[in-house]
């Protein structure tokens, strides 16, 4: 830690508070991964990880089949078909995320350990620079979780309250319903009983996976984006500081170039693990936002469904924007680091020819960019493209509905 920081109690207290907040942020993400059944670390048993992962995949994909079975009965109703499609895409997401994490388990563990080591090294050198952008990452984590949990609760709570009310008032005959629409190949009693409550428990697990699996995977992407961008930012600050000794500057520059090379490898691993997840978001969220707006436009009365649509649309917009924002942070920090090298005193420093060649190669490299299967860069432009596409699909759906 800097001498100036050590001599400034107020600055040191702020830095300590940021450290506490950073560790709390990391613990929350880890807890979410554990609750979502997608935690992949060496200290966590591989057998338990595969059992939890396959449970998520089996439950979510089976419900997609039940939704397809239900949609066959309403093929002539465009509004219901749109509704079932939007829910189907939501249940596919946890299954895809869990599958990607199981397939890329070793690479995910390597990425986690590498970034943690690099970030801890930067914390030892300059905590203030490494934690400068923490607020931009841990706050959206809480906002996305609240929005996602509220959306699922709006589906789960009404039927649960109805069951409790009918039991309390001894209503006869009782008519229960499940939180999520589905058509099972077998008959599910609507007046209670063991079979009904077993199906209700199955739906509660579905809601659990949607909340914790989706939120944990999205938050983990943000956590890694924070670590990569913060390390790049800390190195940029270091290169811009006034180092008196040429030898010291040469050592710092050599360390930064070596760290930058490892960060590039981490960005490739991050892209490889998340590329299918991001591609699904690119293909689905524009259609899903369009479907939700179209379904909401057909409502005539203000009911509980209005709040469901509001939270659901806000969730999809927020989820898309978060990925775009995280990707933009990485690219901006990478550009800032390249500029930091360019405007530093590296031509006059005592570097050997190998390090000097690496410095030139680093400046010539393109900024780090996360892409989805090399198709689309994850940045703010991606978010605007998805919103524009969603509105185009919405007007198309409206014209199709008016022509029926």
């Amino acid at each position: 830690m800097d001498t100036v920081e050590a001599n400034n109690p107020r600055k040191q207290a702020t830095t300590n508070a940021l450290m506490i907040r950073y560790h709390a942020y990391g613990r929350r993400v880890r807890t979410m991964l554990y609750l979502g059944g997608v935690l992949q670390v060496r200290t966590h048993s591989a057998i338990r990880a595969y059992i939890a992962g396959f449970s998520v995949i089996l439950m979510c994909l089976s419900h997609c089949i039940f939704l397809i079975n239900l949609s066959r009965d309403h093929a002539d109703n465009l509004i219901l078909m749109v509704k079932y499609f939007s829910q189907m895409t939501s249940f596919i997401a946890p299954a895809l995320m869990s599958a990607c994490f199981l397939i890329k388990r070793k690479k995910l563990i390597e990425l986690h350990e590498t970034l943690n080591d690099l970030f801890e090294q930067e914390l030892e050198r300059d905590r203030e620079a490494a934690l400068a952008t923490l607020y931009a990452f841990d706050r959206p984590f809480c906002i996305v979780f609240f929005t996602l949990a509220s959306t699922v609760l709006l589906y789960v709570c009404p039927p649960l309250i109805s069951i409790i009310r009918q039991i309390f008032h001894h209503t006869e005959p009782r008519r229960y319903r499940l939180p999520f629409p589905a058509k099972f190949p077998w008959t599910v009693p609507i007046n209670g009983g063991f079979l009904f409550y077993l199906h209700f428990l199955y739906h509660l697990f579905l809601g659990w996976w949607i909340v914790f699996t989706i939120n944990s995977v999205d938050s983990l992407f943000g956590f890694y984006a924070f670590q990569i961008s913060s390390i790049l930012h800390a190195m940029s600050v270091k290169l811009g500081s006034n180092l008196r000794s040429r030898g010291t500057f040469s050592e710092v520059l050599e360390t930064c170039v070596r760290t930058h090379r490892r960060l590039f490898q981490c960005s490739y691993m991050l892209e490889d693990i998340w590329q299918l997840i991001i591609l699904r978001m690119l293909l689905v969220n524009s259609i899903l936002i369009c479907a939700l707006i179209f379904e909401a436009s057909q409502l005539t009365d203000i009911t509980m469904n209005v709040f469901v649509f509001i939270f659901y649309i806000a969730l999809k917009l927020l989820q898309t924007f978060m990925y775009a924002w995280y990707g933009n942070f990485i690219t901006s920090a990478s550009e800032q680091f390249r500029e930091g090298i360019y405007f530093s005193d590296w031509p006059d420093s005592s570097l050997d020819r190998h390090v000097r060649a690496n410095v030139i190669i680093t400046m010539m490299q393109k900024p780090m960019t996360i892409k989805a299967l090399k198709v689309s860069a994850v940045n703010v432009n991606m978010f605007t493209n998805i919103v524009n596409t969603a509105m185009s699909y919405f007007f198309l759906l409206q014209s199709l509905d008016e022509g029926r």
Side-chain angles (χ1 to χ4, degrees), residues 344-363:
S344 65
D345 296 332
W346 71 271
D348 300 328
S349 58
S350 55
L351 297 172
D352 60 49
R353 57 190 180 88
H354 297 292
V355 178
R356 193 174 291 273
N358 288 332
V359 169
I360 296 172
I361 291 172
T362 300
M363 288 190 295

Side-chain angles (χ1 to χ4, degrees), residues 245-258 350-351:
S245 170
R246 287 290 175 188
T248 302
F249 176 77
S250 301
E251 292 172 5
V252 168
L253 186 57
E254 185 177 354
T255 302
C256 289
V257 171
R258 189 167 54 248
S350 55
L351 297 172

Side-chain angles (χ1 to χ4, degrees), residues 369-383:
T369 305
I370 307 299
K371 293 185 177 180
L373 285 178
K374 310 298 181 183
V375 174
S376 174
V378 182
N379 51 34
V380 177
N381 290 332
M382 179 195 75
F383 173 74

Side-chain angles (χ1 to χ4, degrees), residues 82-152:
V82 167
K83 178 180 179 181
Y84 298 150
F85 171 78
S86 63
Q87 292 198 9
M88 200 184 308
T89 57
S90 297
F91 288 110
I92 287 174
L96 177 64
M97 291 173 173
S98 184
C100 288
F101 272 34
L102 289 178
I103 294 170
K104 305 289 185 179
R105 173 179 166 81
K106 291 183 179 179
K107 188 168 288 189
L108 187 63
I109 293 173
E110 182 185 354
L111 172 65
H112 180 79
E113 293 176 347
T114 304
L115 282 179
N116 266 0
D117 290 343
L118 292 175
F119 194 76
E120 289 298 327
Q121 291 172 13
E122 289 302 324
L123 286 177
E124 291 178 2
R125 299 187 187 104
D126 189 352
R127 290 184 179 181
E128 185 183 8
L131 299 173
T133 60
L134 179 61
Y135 291 105
F137 288 86
D138 71 334
R139 285 176 177 172
F141 169 88
C142 301
I143 296 171
V144 173
F145 175 74
F146 171 77
T147 310
L148 183 55
S150 300
T151 305
V152 173

Side-chain angles (χ1 to χ4, degrees), residues 282 285-287 289-290 293 317 320 380-396:
L282 287 172
N285 275 16
S286 56
I287 302 174
I289 292 168
C290 152
I293 296 174
L317 288 171
T320 307
V380 177
N381 290 332
M382 179 195 75
F383 173 74
T384 57
N385 290 336
I386 287 177
V387 173
N388 291 335
T389 306
M391 295 311 299
S392 300
Y393 288 158
F394 169 68
F395 292 124
L396 176 63

